[in-house]
Amino acid sequence: MSDAYIFDHVRTPRGRGKKDGALHQAAPIWLLRSLLRALQQRLQLDTALVDDVVLGCVTPVGEQGADIARTAVLDAEWAQTVAGVTQSRFCASGLESVNLAAAKVKSGWEDLVVAGGVESMSRWPMGSDGGAWVMDPRVNQKTGFVPQGIGADLIATLEGFGRDDVDAFALRSHQRATAARAGGYFARSLVPVQDIAGMTMLAEDESIRADATLEAMGRLQPSFAAIGQMGFDATALRRYTTVERIEHVHHAGNSSGIVDGAALMLVGNADGGRKAGLRPRARIRAAAVIGSEPTIMLTGPTPACQKLLAKAGMAASDIDLWEVNEAFAAVPMKTARDLGVDPERVNVNGGAIAMGHPLGATGCIILGTLLDELERRNLATGVATLCVGGGMGIGTLIERV
């Protein structure tokens, strides 16, 4: 089998996912068009060499529907021969796209594939596409569905993470992201979004709070206590009978932000890279997905990473840096504890609590951030992992070359 290499990656800044957010006026196709053109220009890429574009989108409806990957290829004026496919693995969709691209390349069936994702959450709110898991009462009851925030609070309760613990983690995310932005650590992959007249709409991630404090977070009310009282706490406690009650500790300040954004990564084999005149930056060593308990929903990163490391014949201690998506503070906190990973090696430049979680794009974003930081620190190996809606986990292991 061929090795699958990462040749380059680009992303937009993440704009607040509200009507007054900087990217609200940018349609999702415009975000993708901007990145496809930027990738082509910076690599002087003959797009006819690219076999496929694989994109993640969690809410593929309206402007984000109808296989936006292929539409974006055409809108960006890439070669007509470049195909496009859009898929959803919920929050893991961006990383799933990279893993699918790597599998295509390793099989030998394709030589160069662009992978990534897009989500315009200000224009198409999470849940706009419905689905039986949430909308069908029979399926809802059978699967023990509760909103993710209830699961996050249940994890914190089970793990003994108090309000002070999750707030301290969230503050560190903002502090690290602030320092990384000031140090220019994101600059290599960041592509400012411009409007059709060439005016810059957004050049940097919009939701980082350089002025974040524990005192300010302490004034925020828990976000999921009220819906828990509506019956979702009881549903969760029927599955977790050792817990007397759920301590609601997550709020807007220690949960991932709702944002707009997109990301792309060029993956290929050695032959594809040679034809395009490109040198690889990293090898995708292994990838894994796994299903986990669907009520608590957010515990998938640990078994996914254990499966991933076993595939690679490595231990957690062999990994230099980790990116664990900050869907809620308790998720990376638990994952690091489970795997015995030093928190100083996890999300070293902040994460989704500070910068937001554009659902379909996040996995690709954090893998790219991981690669940039491995290069900056001259380290070798890294793992990106996310919890996933419906009770799943995903992980990808990369090694610099």
Side-chain angles (χ1 to χ4, degrees):
M1 294 178 70
S2 302
D3 279 329
Y5 297 103
I6 299 171
F7 292 102
D8 207 359
H9 67 96
V10 290
R11 71 170 178 92
T12 69
R14 284 162 278 192
R16 289 187 302 111
K18 298 182 179 181
K19 292 188 184 300
D20 62 351
L23 294 182
H24 175 64
Q25 297 300 322
I29 193 73
W30 186 261
L31 301 179
L32 292 170
R33 176 185 185 274
S34 301
L35 290 184
L36 285 166
R37 289 193 163 192
L39 190 65
Q40 178 184 5
Q41 290 167 6
R42 69 191 278 165
L43 299 178
Q44 294 298 295
L45 179 64
D46 177 1
T47 61
L49 296 173
V50 176
D51 296 294
D52 202 2
V53 173
V54 182
L55 291 182
C57 183
V58 175
T59 311
V61 295
E63 298 167 303
Q64 297 182 154
D67 192 3
I68 193 172
R70 173 60 175 169
T71 312
V73 165
L74 298 174
D75 191 38
E77 299 177 352
W78 276 35
Q80 183 176 298
T81 53
V82 182
V85 63
T86 308
Q87 55 78 28
S88 172
R89 195 187 287 280
F90 290 146
C91 310
S93 298
L95 194 57
E96 176 69 13
S97 293
V98 176
N99 294 349
L100 287 173
K104 285 168 166 280
V105 167
K106 288 178 72 67
S107 73
W109 288 2
E110 295 178 4
D111 297 324
L112 285 177
V113 180
V114 171
V118 65
E119 208 78 37
S120 183
M121 300 181 76
S122 70
R123 297 167 75 102
W124 296 96
M126 182 168 48
S128 298
D129 57 337
W133 183 49
V134 178
M135 305 298 292
D136 186 323
R138 180 189 64 81
V139 176
N140 190 292
Q141 184 176 25
K142 183 176 182 179
T143 58
F145 167 80
V146 301
Q148 288 189 351
I150 302 293
D153 286 339
L154 177 55
I155 289 171
T157 302
L158 289 166
E159 296 292 326
F161 300 143
R163 174 68 183 261
D164 290 346
D165 300 317
V166 290
D167 282 358
F169 183 93
L171 177 63
R172 189 159 61 248
S173 181
H174 281 283
Q175 292 172 335
R176 288 176 170 179
T178 298
R181 180 174 62 183
Y185 301 164
F186 303 136
R188 179 172 181 176
S189 61
L190 203 57
V191 176
V193 177
Q194 298 178 334
D195 64 17
I196 198 166
M199 300 293 290
T200 298
M201 303 176 71
L202 186 64
E204 295 183 323
D205 297 306
E206 192 174 15
S207 61
I208 300 173
R209 294 293 301 271
D211 60 349
T213 65
L214 287 177
E215 291 74 22
M217 287 190 191
R219 292 192 289 270
L220 297 174
Q221 296 299 310
S223 297
F224 308 104
I227 60 173
Q229 292 174 1
M230 293 168 55
F232 287 119
D233 277 5
T235 298
L237 293 176
R238 282 195 291 272
R239 290 281 178 98
Y240 292 85
T241 57
T242 61
V243 178
E244 183 177 344
R245 68 187 182 92
I246 296 174
E247 299 294 336
H248 291 286
V249 298
H250 288 91
H251 52 74
N254 56 34
S255 306
S256 56
I258 294 172
V259 293
D260 303 330
L264 297 177
M265 182 171 284
L266 181 61
V267 178
N269 58 28
D271 189 48
R274 278 193 295 270
K275 289 178 180 177
L278 303 174
R279 296 182 61 181
R281 295 173 60 184
R283 176 187 297 108
I284 299 175
R285 281 270 310 255
V289 292
I290 199 162
S292 59
E293 200 281 298
T295 295
I296 202 167
M297 200 185 308
L298 307 173
T299 56
T302 294
C305 289
Q306 291 168 336
K307 181 179 180 180
L308 173 74
L309 292 167
K311 290 276 187 185
M314 300 175 72
S317 58
D318 297 324
I319 304 303
D320 294 316
L321 292 177
W322 295 76
E323 284 287 328
V324 185
N325 187 40
E326 296 174 357
F328 302 89
V331 175
M333 292 171 67
K334 173 177 170 54
T335 304
R337 173 186 282 182
D338 288 347
L339 297 173
V341 174
D342 182 353
E344 293 303 311
R345 293 193 285 133
V346 178
N347 301 356
V348 296
N349 290 327
I353 289 173
M355 293 174 281
H357 177 18
L359 304 177
T362 302
C364 183
I365 290 174
I366 66 173
L367 188 65
T369 298
L370 177 65
L371 175 54
D372 288 347
E373 190 64 15
L374 287 172
E375 291 177 339
R376 193 182 74 83
R377 297 186 180 210
N378 195 28
L379 298 174
T381 57
V383 167
T385 182
L386 300 91
C387 57
V388 190
M392 292 183 282
I394 191 170
T396 304
L397 193 162
I398 62 172
E399 179 181 47
R400 287 180 58 210
V401 295

